[in-house]
Amino acid sequence: MTPNRSLAVSVRRSACLVLYIVLAMVLSSCSQEILFHDLTERDANEIVGVLFTSSVESEKIVDPKGKTFSVRVSSADLPRAVAVLRALGLPRSPRTNLNEVFPSSGFAPTPFEERVRYLFGLAQEIERTISMMTGVLETRVHVVTPDSSSKLAALQEAKASVYVSYDDRYDIDALVPNIRQLVSDSIGGLDPTRVEVLAVPTRVDLKSVSAVPIRRILGVRVHKDDMNLLLIEASFILGLLTISSALHLNAFRRQRAHYKAREEKLARSDVSAN
């Protein structure tokens, strides 16, 4: 085997070794886990959008039955994804709608059951509407209406209490009158002055989890916390290539010296024979 051919074989072997190492590192970093499942498409889109702005790659996938969605992230990004979503109160708690509260049934409910189900469903629908307002993280609505079967019904008045947990980066004072009016308009006979709104600020500090510089390396978005790991991996691969090149260069020089010594020996033998 000539020196050039031997060097080519050695280089191919080294390239394959480095390729296997790189593939193993890539595959180890590509393992994924389901972050949430049984989500609505709206909730799944919201989660994927929030994670993207936080430099967390995620994927929305349709569940087997095609009615709900799941969000999948890489195993390495799982802790950061949970921290970001927890800070923003995502995903939002599922709410029962009126169709679920009043299922079709062949049995006639009692007046008490009918009233309880109606108030529960009404509160759920109001909570759903309030939760769509900008800055609102969580909300609860409690409705009290006069019992028509009671003798004191004429002396009682409907009232409601609303609990709102909101992102402290937003001004909730501008929303309180709208919330009060929304609740009074949704419940017959309820005066806006009988609606109590308790707004509790929730500090949302995303500086350590989402408001971070995102760098691009060869077109790839890299979180600052991953820079050290990326540099270590790149240095490791570069070191392997350097060592491999040095070893093969040394082997090539030895082979050339061996062949040169052999040719000189054969030349001397021919001279001696002549």
Side-chain angles (χ1 to χ4, degrees), residues 66-157:
K67 296 182 179 180
T68 57
F69 295 82
S70 299
V71 175
R72 184 168 56 191
V73 299
S74 66
S75 301
D77 288 335
L78 183 62
R80 188 162 69 236
V82 172
V84 171
L85 298 177
R86 181 182 299 158
L88 290 174
L90 295 175
R92 305 184 189 279
S93 302
R95 302 185 185 280
T96 308
N97 56 41
L98 285 174
N99 292 329
E100 294 172 338
V101 175
F102 292 96
S104 57
S105 175
F107 300 96
T110 64
F112 176 76
E113 292 176 340
E114 192 173 47
R115 180 170 175 271
V116 169
R117 290 180 181 179
Y118 170 75
L119 292 177
F120 177 77
L122 185 61
Q124 289 285 301
E125 291 298 319
I126 296 174
E127 289 178 7
R128 190 191 305 274
T129 303
I130 296 175
S131 65
M132 295 180 181
M133 296 181 177
T134 304
V136 175
L137 301 177
E138 188 67 28
T139 179
R140 290 289 184 268
V141 176
H142 303 278
V143 181
V144 178
T145 59
D147 186 0
S148 58
S149 62
S150 174
K151 296 181 180 179
L152 301 177
L155 301 177
Q156 296 175 347
E157 294 184 21

Side-chain angles (χ1 to χ4, degrees), residues 133 171-182 197-199:
M133 296 181 177
D171 182 15
I172 198 66
D173 293 336
L175 291 179
V176 170
N178 296 331
I179 294 175
R180 185 175 285 111
Q181 189 64 43
L182 170 67
V197 179
L198 175 61

Side-chain angles (χ1 to χ4, degrees), residues 25 28 60 64 66-67 90 96 100 105 121-122 143 159 162 165 181 184 187 199 202 204 224 230 245 250 259 263 271:
M25 295 173 66
S28 64
K60 180 185 72 173
K67 296 182 179 180
L90 295 175
T96 308
E100 294 172 338
S105 175
L122 185 61
V143 181
K159 59 182 179 180
V162 181
S165 173
Q181 189 64 43
S184 63
I187 302 173
T202 299
V204 177
K224 73 169 186 178
L230 182 62
S245 300
N250 186 38
Y259 279 106
E263 290 175 356
V271 171

Side-chain angles (χ1 to χ4, degrees), residues 211-225:
V212 295
I214 299 173
R215 303 178 183 178
R216 287 187 176 273
I217 299 180
L218 299 178
V220 180
R221 302 169 74 249
V222 180
H223 190 281
K224 73 169 186 178
D225 294 341

